[in-house]
Amino acid sequence: MKITIISVGKIKEKFFSDAINEYAKRLSKFCIFIEEVIPDEKADENFSTSQIEQVKSKEGTKILNKISKNSYVVALDIKGTQLSSEELAQKINTLGIEGTSDITFIIGGSNGLSKDVLERAAYKLSFSKMTFPHQLFKVILTEQIYRAFKINAGEAYHK
């Protein structure tokens, strides 16, 4: 199986990069793991709603260009479905059983995902109603994907 994470914005702190790299290394035992980073568009805090939509649209176009044609797309969206770690593991397992070999997870920029990206997504996943820094969230997502593969392999993992 191929797992891709497409995220908007570079990871600036080394400790976040180190954590992501560690989980990516661990994931290599279970799948092909790919990270794609889309540069974030500059957005001032005083931008109007239409200016923010333009920023999301530009980022969205870049994201859509990175998605493989046959990939099952999971958009990380605060309005999405919340799953436990075991339920995420089951979702990934079920997709594999049904013949899906390419899953793409998308983390938007600080303004969220464009309408086009959300429409392309086959599934919308929420980890919480809380807001997380994007850099930290990429660590959390990578760890949860690793945890899902460990659960599916029947291997011990801290609960």
Side-chain angles (χ1 to χ4, degrees):
M1 180 173 278
K2 180 175 97 170
I3 301 287
T4 303
I5 295 178
I6 300 174
S7 60
V8 176
K10 285 177 59 172
I11 301 292
K12 296 173 184 143
E13 285 85 1
K14 184 179 183 319
F15 54 89
F16 286 140
S17 295
D18 289 346
I20 292 164
N21 291 336
E22 177 61 29
Y23 286 116
K25 184 173 85 176
R26 293 179 188 187
L27 272 166
S28 68
K29 173 182 174 184
F30 300 104
C31 66
I32 297 166
F33 181 73
I34 298 169
E35 293 179 78
E36 294 280 356
V37 178
I38 305 299
D40 53 344
E41 294 289 323
K42 302 299 176 215
D44 189 275
E45 288 184 14
N46 298 320
F47 270 19
S48 68
T49 303
S50 67
Q51 288 172 312
I52 290 172
E53 289 303 315
Q54 288 175 345
V55 166
K56 290 186 339 185
S57 179
K58 286 179 185 177
E59 290 172 348
T61 298
K62 293 175 189 175
I63 290 168
L64 291 170
N65 287 335
K66 294 284 186 180
I67 299 172
S68 301
K69 182 181 177 185
N70 296 320
S71 188
Y72 183 92
V73 177
V74 178
L76 282 294
D77 181 22
I78 200 163
K79 297 175 189 164
T81 303
Q82 292 185 16
L83 300 175
S84 67
S85 297
E86 292 82 7
E87 289 169 330
L88 178 61
Q90 183 60 49
K91 177 87 176 155
I92 291 171
N93 190 54
T94 299
L95 287 169
I97 290 169
E98 292 172 349
T100 299
S101 61
D102 185 348
I103 303 172
T104 300
F105 291 86
I106 301 173
I107 303 171
S110 59
N111 293 302
L113 292 167
S114 71
K115 180 181 161 201
D116 291 340
V117 171
L118 291 171
E119 287 175 358
R120 171 63 175 87
Y123 194 81
K124 293 171 191 71
L125 177 64
S126 173
F127 275 37
S128 172
K129 291 181 180 180
M130 294 180 195
T131 301
F132 296 101
H134 288 74
Q135 297 180 40
L136 174 60
F137 190 76
K138 190 170 180 182
V139 175
I140 295 168
L141 174 61
T142 308
E143 186 278 336
Q144 285 296 300
I145 294 168
Y146 172 67
R147 182 181 296 258
F149 276 100
K150 293 282 282 185
I151 290 168
N152 287 338
E155 296 181 16
Y157 199 81
H158 180 71
K159 292 185 178 195

